Amino acid sequence: MERKKGKTACRKGFLSIRLSVFLPALLALIMPPQYAQAGVSRIWAVDDGEKVKKTDVNHPLATSSDNPVWNGSKISLFGAKNEIVAFQLIIEADVSGVNKVDVSLDRLTNSPFVIRNTGSSAPFGYVGKRIELFTEHYVRVDGVWLPDALIPLAAPSGLGGAPFDMAANNNQGVWVDIYIPRDALPGTYTGKMEVRVNSLLTYTIPVSLQVYDFVLPDECHLKNMFVISYSSIKDRHGVRSERPEYYAVEARYHQMAHRHRFDIVRGVRDLGVLDKYHKRYLTGQLYTAANNYEGPGENVGNRTFSIGPYNYRPAEFSPDNEAGWRAGSDAWVNWFKANAPHVEIHKYLRDEPWSHGAVYNDIIERCKWIHNNPGPG
């Protein structure tokens, strides 16, 4: 009898062990993951063309059939080879808020080809970097919090990186860029996004990417130009302007822009500076694996350039008379013909002239000086 009791006790102990091991797994199967962790009330996705406000936790696209990337449980995308496609994962905090949230998308697979990150964790090390995740930084505009700058998840926690905290009844957008390599196999790629709270996996969201069997060209056929401020870069990064350390930072901004098929420019002092530091943007030398670049436009230079934005007059446009402007325009045109003939250039005169009254007359006068120039300028 004692032996039977021993067996019974042993069986009970074994049963309790089995329950302790398998019950959490069973509950995980029958309990939707969104209920596994308090603090997150809902997660959904939207494409890269929407701005979801920080406090808009009742956004209609969360449940709308018009949402092109989200059907209520799955993220669906499509793209061509040599294209970057993007979407936003929107995490909503409940009335208690949530701390230490982290997000990952490790890979997308269409066997045997895998789209994943094999490169550096540094934000600007693009070689091998096919999937990038960013937190969306919010700015207050007329009392409304709007998503603006994108901060790499690799940034320090508390400074925009992961893990991040969320206040009650707020959204946090996570932007996801996926670069489809030129040699990717066509077909459907699948993967999963994982959301963790306090290191505990609480959400798993399926991701599907349809890759079409054609390659986008490296050249950007939409001519565009975005002006950056050298003073903002030097102040934010603590570097001195017109120095090698400054241009090392500026080059990273050019690569980021180029990867997304747009050109950035700023005021250049003279053709010597253009030749020494900016030529590599225009010829494509900066956009090579040797300079840590991979993505659209490898070895292809920028297609537009603005000479002296905001009425900034380079040294060649001196003196400020017809002879000086003709000589200056000739010098710049000759440089581009010799070094980057594919680039479309223009002289940027006074910005927002309506706020300066008589400035219109100055603009018209200098335009006539250039248009009447018998030389190449």
Side-chain angles (χ1 to χ4, degrees):
M1 188 69 181
E2 291 299 323
R3 184 177 179 185
K4 288 182 180 179
K5 284 183 180 180
K7 286 185 176 181
T8 302
C10 181
R11 286 171 183 161
K12 286 181 179 179
F14 179 67
L15 179 61
S16 65
I17 292 173
R18 292 189 61 177
L19 284 174
S20 67
V21 171
F22 294 111
L23 186 57
L26 179 63
L27 290 175
L29 289 174
I30 64 176
M31 182 182 294
Q34 59 263 38
Y35 298 110
Q37 178 69 38
V40 177
S41 61
R42 180 170 63 173
I43 294 182
W44 57 285
V46 69
D47 62 27
D48 55 356
E50 296 288 334
K51 281 187 177 290
V52 180
K53 301 170 186 174
K54 187 174 184 178
T55 56
D56 190 358
V57 292
N58 296 304
H59 199 287
L61 283 177
T63 56
S64 173
S65 60
D66 293 329
N67 188 330
V69 303
W70 178 250
N71 67 357
S73 61
K74 178 183 177 181
I75 298 166
S76 299
L77 308 163
F78 64 87
K81 303 175 187 179
N82 198 34
E83 180 178 10
I84 291 179
V85 297
F87 68 93
Q88 301 171 73
L89 191 75
I90 308 298
I91 304 171
E92 297 180 3
D94 63 16
V95 294
S96 63
V98 60
N99 295 330
K100 296 185 179 179
V101 181
D102 202 354
V103 182
S104 63
L105 175 59
D106 181 62
R107 67 182 70 187
L108 293 168
T109 302
N110 175 24
S111 185
F113 200 96
V114 181
I115 298 175
R116 63 174 303 172
N117 284 335
T118 57
S120 168
S121 61
F124 295 112
Y126 289 121
V127 176
K129 184 166 290 185
R130 278 73 186 278
I131 302 175
E132 295 183 272
L133 279 70
F134 308 85
T135 58
E136 299 179 4
H137 177 70
Y138 295 86
V139 294
R140 191 176 180 88
V141 180
D142 291 335
V144 177
W145 289 98
L146 298 174
D148 186 53
L150 302 180
I151 302 175
L153 253 66
S157 179
L159 295 177
F164 51 83
D165 300 338
M166 298 176 58
N169 298 316
N170 277 344
N171 291 319
Q172 177 60 60
V174 175
W175 185 283
V176 182
D177 272 346
I178 302 170
Y179 171 58
I180 305 172
R182 294 172 183 80
D183 59 344
L185 295 176
T188 302
Y189 289 72
T190 58
K192 58 184 179 180
M193 291 207 72
E194 296 182 341
V195 179
R196 289 176 168 80
V197 178
N198 286 310
S199 300
L200 176 66
L201 179 62
T202 59
Y203 274 80
T204 299
I205 303 109
V207 180
S208 174
L209 170 64
Q210 180 68 34
V211 175
Y212 295 114
D213 195 14
F214 63 91
V215 183
L216 291 187
D218 281 314
E219 296 82 3
C220 181
H221 298 287
L222 175 62
K223 295 176 181 177
N224 59 80
M225 182 206 75
F226 295 83
V227 176
I228 60 172
S229 167
Y230 79 91
S231 60
S232 296
I233 291 178
K234 72 179 184 66
D235 292 343
R236 290 294 182 92
H237 293 275
V239 293
R240 298 177 65 183
S241 61
E242 308 301 338
R243 298 295 180 92
E245 57 269 25
Y246 165 84
Y247 283 106
V249 174
E250 187 183 86
R252 303 308 172 212
Y253 284 92
H254 277 270
Q255 289 181 326
M256 179 275 295
H258 195 74
R259 206 170 197 238
H260 294 276
R261 301 181 185 271
F262 68 94
D263 296 340
I264 56 176
V265 297
R266 71 167 183 85
V268 178
R269 288 187 179 276
D270 54 52
L271 288 172
V273 173
L274 184 74
D275 195 72
K276 185 174 182 179
Y277 291 113
H278 291 257
K279 183 178 178 179
R280 55 184 177 165
Y281 310 149
L282 304 168
T283 63
Q285 179 187 356
L286 180 68
Y287 310 121
T288 61
N291 286 300
N292 296 317
Y293 182 83
E294 179 188 274
E298 290 183 34
N299 299 293
V300 176
N302 296 2
R303 295 178 61 85
T304 58
F305 187 84
S306 179
I307 301 172
Y310 305 144
N311 203 34
Y312 177 76
R313 293 178 183 144
E316 285 78 13
F317 286 79
S318 179
D320 186 23
N321 57 29
E322 186 169 15
W325 277 69
R326 285 185 175 184
S329 60
D330 286 347
W332 282 83
V333 167
N334 285 332
W335 188 94
F336 275 91
K337 282 184 176 180
N339 296 282
H342 67 283
V343 178
E344 182 173 299
I345 63 174
H346 62 272
K347 177 69 182 82
Y348 197 132
L349 291 170
R350 184 68 67 89
D351 190 54
E352 301 178 359
W354 62 82
S355 63
H356 300 283
V359 168
Y360 276 115
N361 293 331
D362 291 341
I363 293 174
I364 292 171
E365 182 179 43
R366 283 153 184 77
C367 288
K368 287 180 178 179
W369 291 346
I370 291 178
H371 284 294
N372 294 331
N373 184 357

